[in-house]
């Protein structure tokens, strides 16, 4: 009998858990445009497209709709993109410089808007996104500076502001917020933020430490699911062989 | 038919301080930078700039030419935050009308259609309404009763855009993947100036490209400027990509030093200085 040893598979990294947590945002999304912003959401969207959400549309980040192998399958310049947003067949995952307990998001500026301490990007498409289709968020480094009690400028509309405009905000929905520590949703009676799952190795105390507001934490918080062997192979060999994901979230 | 060819300096000589100027392109993509550089050589100032902002906004802000900015963002794309725009905002250097990307587009549409406003389901519930107290809402007269932002028309005194090709009459053609909103800027403006990489005969425009690449129609155009490399350092696909190294130098060099080195002379001097650098 010959004996041989097989190299033990490298266990999933924190970044790979984040990829899975982002990919899950598009599960059962159907034939809509997935708009990931940031490295890890991009890997996640492509993973979802290659596995459990095969009908997703993806862009090359500019004006072209592309299949995962790079084949062009459509044209989506900004003007048509903005019409698609209003049509609602899209789920975007945006970044956030600040996010609060009701999911209000800020990418415009820090401090007083009239004369900001730090000027950032501007509202971009956050207002139109959040009023028209599902909007999730990706935060590579959760901290009290990002998870704030109140954002300085409401760009992406949160549940409390949406509730004040029930007719206009009838398409408003924030399915999830993914960070380097865990996954969050708004499945509470008042739509305040709740810890939905923890990435392996993270404690609820760590999450509270990195959050400025009162967070809903269930007694028994689930763990973020691990990637399957096939998903790991797709992430490591097909989608992101250069391991760019490690630049956004370290070990 | 009138020949509308002119020069960047002649275009700027027709602009006045205090005007509302729309600038085409998007972020650091196909911006009419040669026209912006001509503007920087002039003494035209006190401008209201309407732009999906990139280095056009950064440069005009750094040079102190902006009284008011209408925008949804200012970015260099590969460098997310525009340093000169940031500095100007943090010093409270000008007034800002910060609106959503879609509100901006519908504001141009309203102007192009001579409408006072168009309803937009964007802005409601956000602080766009707080920081723009002049914005009004409009309620649907139909059964849904939905309330929208009544996005006011963004009327422009002049539009500046850059495309790949144009003829002498003002028919403008884009050959890259995205037209951006350059046709709308021209239609929303009293006067519109189109710079291009190359002026060609009208028949040449559709020799190798489909008619739908003819983005800008001559009835909306006042002047045509041939400006090779005129979008530099922003991208102008397929003629050239963004000059990332130069953009990085722009973003990391103090403005006075950058301006002295690259903007002291005419466009030819600029292009020569760019060439010597690479």
């Amino acid at each position: 009998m010959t004996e041989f040893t097989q190299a033990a598979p490298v266990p999933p990294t924190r970044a790979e858990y984040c990829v899975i947590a982002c990919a899950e945002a598009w599960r059962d999304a159907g034939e809509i445009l997935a708009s990931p912003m940031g490295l890890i959401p991009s890997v996640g969207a492509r993973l979802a497209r290659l596995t459990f959400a095969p009908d997703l549309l993806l862009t090359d980040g500019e004006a072209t709709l592309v299949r995962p192998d790079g084949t062009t399958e459509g044209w989506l310049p900004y003007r048509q993109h903005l019409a698609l947003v209003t049509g609602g067949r899209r789920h975007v995952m945006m970044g956030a410089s600040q996010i609060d307990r009701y999911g209000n998001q800020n990418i415009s500026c820090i401090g007083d808007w009239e004369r900001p301490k730090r000027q950032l990007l501007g509202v971009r498409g956050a207002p139109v996104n959040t009023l028209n289709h599902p909007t999730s968020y990706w935060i590579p480094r959760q901290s009290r500076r990002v998870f704030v009690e109140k954002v300085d400028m409401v760009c992406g509309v949160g549940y409390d502001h949406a509730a004040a405009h029930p007719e206009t905000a009838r398409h408003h929905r924030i399915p999830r917020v993914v960070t380097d520590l865990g996954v969050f949703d708004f499945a509470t009676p008042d739509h305040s933020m709740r810890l939905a799952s923890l990435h392996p190795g993270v404690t609820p105390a760590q999450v509270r430490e990195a959050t400025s507001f009162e967070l809903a934490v269930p007694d028994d918080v689930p763990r973020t699911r691990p990637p399957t062997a096939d998903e790991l192979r797709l992430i490591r060999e097909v989608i992101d062989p250069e391991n760019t994901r490690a630049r956004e979230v370290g070990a | 038919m009138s020949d509308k060819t002119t020069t960047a300096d002649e275009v700027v000589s027709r602009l006045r301080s205090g005007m509302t100027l729309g600038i085409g392109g998007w972020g650091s993509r196909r911006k009419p930078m040669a026209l912006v550089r001509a503007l920087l050589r002039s003494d035209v100032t006190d401008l209201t700039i309407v732009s999906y902002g990139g280095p056009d906004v950064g440069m005009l802000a750094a040079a102190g030419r902006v009284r008011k900015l209408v925008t949804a963002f200012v970015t260099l794309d590969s460098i997310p935050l525009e340093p000169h725009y940031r500095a100007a905002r943090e010093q409270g250097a000008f007034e800002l009308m910060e609106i959503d990307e879609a509100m901006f587009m519908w504001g141009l549409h309203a102007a192009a259609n001579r409408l006072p406003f168009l309803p937009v389901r964007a802005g409601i519930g956000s602080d766009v309404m707080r920081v723009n107290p002049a914005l009004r809402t409009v309620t649907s007269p139909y059964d849904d009763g939905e309330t929208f932002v009544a996005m006011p028309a963004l009327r422009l005194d002049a539009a500046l855009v850059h495309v790949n090709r144009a003829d002498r009459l003002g028919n403008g053609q884009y050959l890259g993947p995205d037209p951006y909103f350059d046709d709308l800027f021209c239609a929303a403006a009293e006067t519109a100036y189109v710079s291009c990489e190359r002026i060609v005969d009208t028949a040449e425009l559709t020799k190798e490209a489909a008619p739908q690449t003819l983005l800008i129609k001559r009835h909306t155009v006042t002047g045509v400027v041939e400006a090779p490399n005129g979008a530099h350092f922003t991208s102008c696909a397929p003629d050239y990509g963004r000059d990332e190294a130069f953009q990085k130098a722009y973003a990391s060099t103090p403005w006075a030093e950058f301006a002295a080195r690259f903007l002291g002379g005419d466009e030819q001097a600029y292009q020569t200085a760019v060439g010597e650098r690479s």
Side-chain angles (χ1 to χ4, degrees), chain A residues 61-64 75-79 82-83 86 104 108-109 112-129 131-132 151-157 161-162 165 167-171, chain B residues 26 29 52 72-75 77 80-81 85-86 89-92 96-102 105-106 121-128 130-131 144-148 174 177-184 215:
Chain A
E62 302 232 1
T64 313
W75 183 52
L76 193 67
Y78 285 122
R79 59 183 62 199
L82 287 171
T86 318
N104 296 291
S108 170
C109 65
D112 179 17
W113 180 88
E114 293 289 338
R115 185 155 178 189
K117 212 177 323 163
R118 296 290 274 168
Q119 174 63 42
L120 305 173
L121 276 173
V123 295
R124 292 220 68 149
V128 74
N129 290 345
L131 255 63
N132 284 286
V151 300
D152 293 342
M153 169 90 178
V154 177
C155 303
V157 176
H161 285 93
H165 307 276
E167 298 300 330
T168 309
R170 66 187 193 274
H171 308 297
Chain B
W26 173 284
R29 303 171 200 207
Y52 286 111
F73 59 79
V74 181
T75 178
D77 292 315
L81 304 179
Y85 167 68
R86 280 191 92 161
R89 266 285 282 159
E90 289 164 15
Q91 288 155 23
L96 179 64
M97 180 182 187
E98 182 171 354
I99 52 175
D100 171 87
E101 288 171 11
M105 177 179 78
W106 289 110
R121 192 195 295 114
I124 299 280
S126 81
D127 276 346
V128 164
R130 172 175 67 87
V131 302
D144 53 85
E146 195 173 334
T147 297
F148 302 93
Y174 80 108
D178 201 316
Y180 309 122
F181 300 90
D182 290 356
D183 50 340
L184 268 181
L215 179 65

Side-chain angles (χ1 to χ4, degrees), chain A residues 35-104:
Chain A
S35 293
M37 297 177 186
L39 291 171
I40 283 178
S42 297
V43 178
R46 290 181 63 196
L47 180 70
R49 165 71 179 76
L50 287 168
T51 55
F52 49 75
D55 293 331
L56 286 179
L57 286 79
L58 294 168
T59 76
D60 63 350
E62 302 232 1
T64 313
L65 291 166
V66 290
R67 295 201 314 223
D69 65 0
T71 305
T72 297
E73 63 167 336
W75 183 52
L76 193 67
Y78 285 122
R79 59 183 62 199
Q80 290 193 9
H81 194 279
L82 287 171
L84 185 150
V85 167
T86 318
R89 298 189 62 83
R90 180 176 186 243
H91 183 162
V92 67
M93 185 172 276
M94 300 186 79
S97 302
Q98 294 178 325
I99 191 165
D100 69 23
R101 64 184 309 201
Y102 294 107
N104 296 291

Side-chain angles (χ1 to χ4, degrees), chain B residues 102-154:
Chain B
M103 294 172 72
F104 188 111
M105 177 179 78
W106 289 110
L108 290 179
H109 270 290
N113 288 277
R114 296 189 297 177
L115 291 168
F117 70 89
L118 278 168
V120 193
R121 192 195 295 114
I124 299 280
S126 81
D127 276 346
V128 164
M129 305 308 285
R130 172 175 67 87
V131 302
N132 294 291
L135 284 177
R136 296 285 174 265
T137 59
V138 60
T139 301
S140 166
Y142 299 105
D143 291 343
D144 53 85
E146 195 173 334
T147 297
F148 302 93
V149 175
M151 179 59 207
L154 292 173

Side-chain angles (χ1 to χ4, degrees), chain B residues 23 31 36 49 51-62 66 69 71 73-74 82 84-85 94 250:
Chain B
I23 303 182
K31 284 285 174 178
V36 170
I49 300 294
S51 172
Y52 286 111
D56 53 329
V57 169
M59 287 181 154
L60 290 167
V66 184
L69 175 68
T71 198
F73 59 79
V74 181
E82 219 294 348
H84 303 304
Y85 167 68
F94 51 78
Y250 159 77

Side-chain angles (χ1 to χ4, degrees), chain B:
Chain B
M1 297 235 220
S2 54
D3 183 329
K4 294 175 187 164
T5 55
T6 181
T7 66
D9 289 321
E10 280 173 24
V11 167
V12 169
S13 75
R14 290 189 236 173
L15 304 178
R16 295 284 168 264
S17 292
M19 274 187 166
T20 297
L21 292 189
I23 303 182
W26 173 284
S28 191
R29 303 171 200 207
R30 220 179 68 231
K31 284 285 174 178
M33 297 303 285
L35 297 178
V36 170
R37 287 187 282 270
L39 203 48
L40 291 170
R41 287 194 295 275
S42 77
D43 53 13
V44 175
T45 189
D46 198 32
L47 296 166
T48 294
I49 300 294
V50 179
S51 172
Y52 286 111
D56 53 329
V57 169
M59 287 181 154
L60 290 167
R65 307 300 180 90
V66 184
R67 183 183 67 78
K68 180 180 174 182
L69 175 68
V70 180
T71 198
F73 59 79
V74 181
T75 178
L76 297 173
D77 292 315
S78 53
I79 301 171
L81 304 179
E82 219 294 348
H84 303 304
Y85 167 68
R86 280 191 92 161
R89 266 285 282 159
E90 289 164 15
Q91 288 155 23
F94 51 78
E95 193 186 329
L96 179 64
M97 180 182 187
E98 182 171 354
I99 52 175
D100 171 87
E101 288 171 11
M103 294 172 72
F104 188 111
M105 177 179 78
W106 289 110
L108 290 179
H109 270 290
N113 288 277
R114 296 189 297 177
L115 291 168
F117 70 89
L118 278 168
V120 193
R121 192 195 295 114
I124 299 280
S126 81
D127 276 346
V128 164
M129 305 308 285
R130 172 175 67 87
V131 302
N132 294 291
L135 284 177
R136 296 285 174 265
T137 59
V138 60
T139 301
S140 166
Y142 299 105
D143 291 343
D144 53 85
E146 195 173 334
T147 297
F148 302 93
V149 175
M151 179 59 207
L154 292 173
R155 293 189 198 87
L156 311 171
D157 293 314
L160 308 177
V161 303
H162 184 81
V163 294
N164 301 91
R165 306 283 178 272
D167 66 11
R168 309 175 80 83
L169 308 174
N171 294 304
Q173 179 176 47
Y174 80 108
L175 296 170
D178 201 316
Y180 309 122
F181 300 90
D182 290 356
D183 50 340
L184 268 181
F185 276 98
C186 293
E190 282 295 315
T191 58
Y193 301 96
V194 178
S195 63
C196 63
E197 290 298 311
R198 202 144 54 79
I199 292 177
V200 297
D201 288 338
T202 306
E204 198 71 27
L205 291 168
T206 47
K207 223 171 187 177
E208 285 169 7
Q212 58 266 36
T213 59
L214 296 172
L215 179 65
I216 294 163
K217 290 161 228 336
R218 61 183 165 82
H219 72 280
T220 63
V221 174
T222 314
V224 181
V225 176
E226 188 169 61
N229 215 27
H232 183 271
F233 49 88
T234 69
S235 63
C236 188
D239 291 312
Y240 45 90
R242 185 179 303 129
D243 187 340
E244 296 287 2
F246 191 92
Q247 172 162 287
K248 208 169 169 188
Y250 159 77
S252 54
T253 308
W255 170 249
E257 192 184 316
F258 178 88
R261 177 152 175 216
F262 292 104
L263 304 171
D266 60 8
E267 179 69 11
Q268 189 53 54
Y270 172 82
Q271 297 292 350
T272 303
V274 168
E276 281 166 358
R277 201 184 161 271
S278 51

